[in-house]
Amino acid sequence: MSFVGKVLVVVQVVLSVCFMGFAGAVYTAQSNWRAKSQKLQDNVASLQKSMNELESEYSNYKTKATQEINDALSQAQTEKVANDALQKQFKTNQSQLETVRAERDTAVAQAETTGEEAKFRRQESDRQRVVNKTLHDTVNSLRGKIKNLEDTVFTQSIREKNLVAKHNTVLDELKYLNKIVANLGIDPKDPAIAGMQSPPPAVEGLIINTKKDKRNGTKFVEVSLGSDDGLSKGHQLFVYRFGTKENGNRPKYLGKIELVYVDPDKAVGTVIDAAKNGVIEKGDHVNSKL
């Protein structure tokens, strides 16, 4: 056998060994692949089952969560409506509370003013009794009273003249208004027309200016309220002054005014009832109710 033949024999032997090893490896790999494939198929089936269960749980959870969210939204809407109603009721109650407080303060002021006037009248009555007991020694006091009576008569005569002039003016205005009403085709004697003047609303303001008469008494006053506040000509307001530390912070009732001229933001009134415990001045308060 030549050298080449020997080499070929050796190569053939080596290749045979390699082929046998490769065949064994292929057989081993084939057996392992089948086992792994079956295991993977089992895992895939298990995972598919788990995924189906999770999808079912997720669907149930989603349905339940959606229902809960819808219920929560409905409840929130209901609570919002209820809250709005409570807010509105709260504002209404607060407004009523403020009105009640204002009425209470006015009532307290009126009660204190009435008490102060009663005390003043008792003191005046005591002084009068002393004067009556010593009448024979009080000639000068009687002269003073006569002078006061003369002043009162004079004041009353002036007031009477003013009232007569005012009455004539009112009559002229009434005639003019009756003509206007007649031209409009309205019967002024119709009972439905009577009582159209409504009472003034609950308002409170200040005296911003005054005009004195010849006796240095307040005749006209200008107030910080007008038609924008619901006032009109003919409405009557009460005048009072806040108390000071000297009199124990007790307010004083000063009188009553009647409006004769009304602008949107202010009005002018004439004094129709003046109290004896003070003169109406700038800065005093006015109120539609005592």
Side-chain angles (χ1 to χ4, degrees):
M1 182 180 295
S2 64
F3 177 74
V4 175
K6 292 180 180 180
V7 171
L8 291 175
V9 171
V10 172
V11 170
Q12 185 177 7
V13 171
V14 171
L15 290 175
S16 298
V17 172
C18 291
F19 179 77
M20 291 178 64
F22 179 74
V26 169
Y27 177 77
T28 303
Q30 182 181 5
S31 300
N32 293 335
W33 177 82
R34 288 181 179 175
K36 289 182 179 180
S37 175
Q38 186 64 36
K39 185 176 182 181
L40 289 174
Q41 289 179 356
D42 295 338
N43 290 336
V44 168
S46 177
L47 290 174
Q48 183 66 37
K49 182 179 179 181
S50 298
M51 186 177 69
N52 292 334
E53 292 177 353
L54 289 175
E55 287 180 350
S56 177
E57 291 179 0
Y58 171 74
S59 178
N60 294 333
Y61 173 77
K62 181 179 179 182
T63 302
K64 183 178 179 181
T66 302
Q67 183 64 33
E68 291 178 352
I69 290 173
N70 292 333
D71 293 342
L73 290 175
S74 177
Q75 182 68 22
Q77 184 65 26
T78 303
E79 294 295 334
K80 183 177 182 302
V81 172
N83 183 62
D84 293 340
L86 288 175
Q87 290 288 342
K88 184 176 180 180
Q89 183 65 31
F90 173 75
K91 291 180 180 179
T92 302
N93 293 340
Q94 192 174 22
S95 176
Q96 293 177 352
L97 178 61
E98 293 297 331
T99 303
V100 171
R101 286 179 177 173
E103 292 177 353
R104 180 203 62 187
D105 294 340
T106 303
V108 171
Q110 183 181 10
E112 293 180 351
T113 302
T114 303
E116 185 177 354
E117 288 182 351
K119 180 180 179 182
F120 176 78
R121 290 173 181 172
R122 286 196 299 270
Q123 293 175 352
E124 186 177 6
S125 177
D126 293 340
R127 288 195 297 268
Q128 188 63 40
R129 282 196 294 269
V130 173
V131 170
N132 292 334
K133 291 179 181 180
T134 59
L135 186 60
H136 62 282
D137 296 328
T138 58
V139 175
N140 292 331
S141 176
L142 290 175
R143 289 177 180 175
K145 290 183 179 180
I146 293 173
K147 182 65 169 59
N148 290 335
L149 291 174
E150 290 175 350
D151 292 341
T152 301
V153 171
F154 178 75
T155 301
Q156 293 296 335
S157 64
I158 294 176
R159 181 176 294 179
E160 182 181 3
K161 292 179 181 179
N162 292 333
L163 290 175
V164 171
K166 183 178 179 180
H167 177 69
N168 293 331
T169 302
V170 171
L171 288 178
D172 293 337
E173 292 179 354
L174 181 60
K175 291 178 181 179
Y176 177 72
L177 292 175
N178 285 334
K179 290 181 180 179
I180 295 176
V181 171
N183 291 332
L184 293 175
I186 300 174
D187 184 8
K189 296 181 180 180
D190 187 356
I193 305 300
M196 293 182 66
Q197 176 68 38
S198 60
V203 294
E204 184 174 356
L206 294 174
I207 302 292
I208 58 178
N209 202 358
T210 62
K211 183 178 181 181
K212 306 292 184 180
D213 56 18
K214 294 181 179 180
R215 298 182 56 80
N216 202 31
T218 302
K219 184 177 182 181
F220 295 101
V221 298
E222 185 177 1
V223 299
S224 62
L225 302 170
S227 59
D228 289 344
D229 302 293
L231 297 179
S232 60
K233 182 179 178 181
H235 279 162
Q236 295 181 358
L237 302 175
F238 300 96
V239 185
Y240 63 95
R241 182 177 300 156
F242 285 159
T244 60
K245 293 183 179 179
E246 288 75 10
N247 64 359
N249 293 322
R250 289 176 296 184
K252 286 185 177 181
Y253 172 75
L254 301 178
K256 185 165 60 174
I257 64 173
E258 181 176 335
L259 300 183
V260 296
Y261 178 78
V262 180
D263 271 347
D265 57 351
K266 61 183 178 179
V268 176
T270 180
V271 179
I272 60 174
D273 182 20
K276 297 181 179 180
N277 57 347
V279 179
I280 298 174
E281 299 287 351
K282 179 180 179 181
D284 290 334
H285 293 252
V286 294
N287 200 318
S288 58
K289 294 181 181 179
L290 278 179

